Amino acid sequence: MFMITIDNTNCDGCGACVDPCPVALLELVDGKAEITGEATECMGCETCVTICPNDCYTIQEL
Ligand code: SF4
Ligand code: SF4
């Protein structure tokens, strides 16, 4: 099981991470990406980690 966390301090609101998430956990809220779904539903695909140019995402295996 994986859990995704975000530090959106450096998020520039590019939105590139939002649509590619296969379980739709991510949304832009007031111009910053947030995990609006249940973080424990993360599949650990690392797509968001790879896409984000600002290293906002961290994946933990639980
Ligand atoms: S690692 Fe994959 S499933 Fe998890 S939040 Fe990122 S894009 Fe979504
Ligand atoms: S890819 Fe990174 S910088 Fe772009 S919206 Fe997502 S978290 Fe923010």
Side-chain angles (χ1 to χ4, degrees), residues 10-50:
N10 294 327
C11 174
D12 60 15
C14 73
C17 57
V18 173
D19 285 341
C21 176
V23 286
L25 297 184
L26 314 174
E27 282 186 272
L28 283 184
V29 178
D30 295 332
K32 297 261 191 187
E34 288 188 14
I35 298 163
T36 54
E38 178 54 57
T40 53
E41 289 179 10
C42 172
M43 299 170 63
C45 69
E46 298 194 13
T47 302
C48 57
V49 177
T50 304

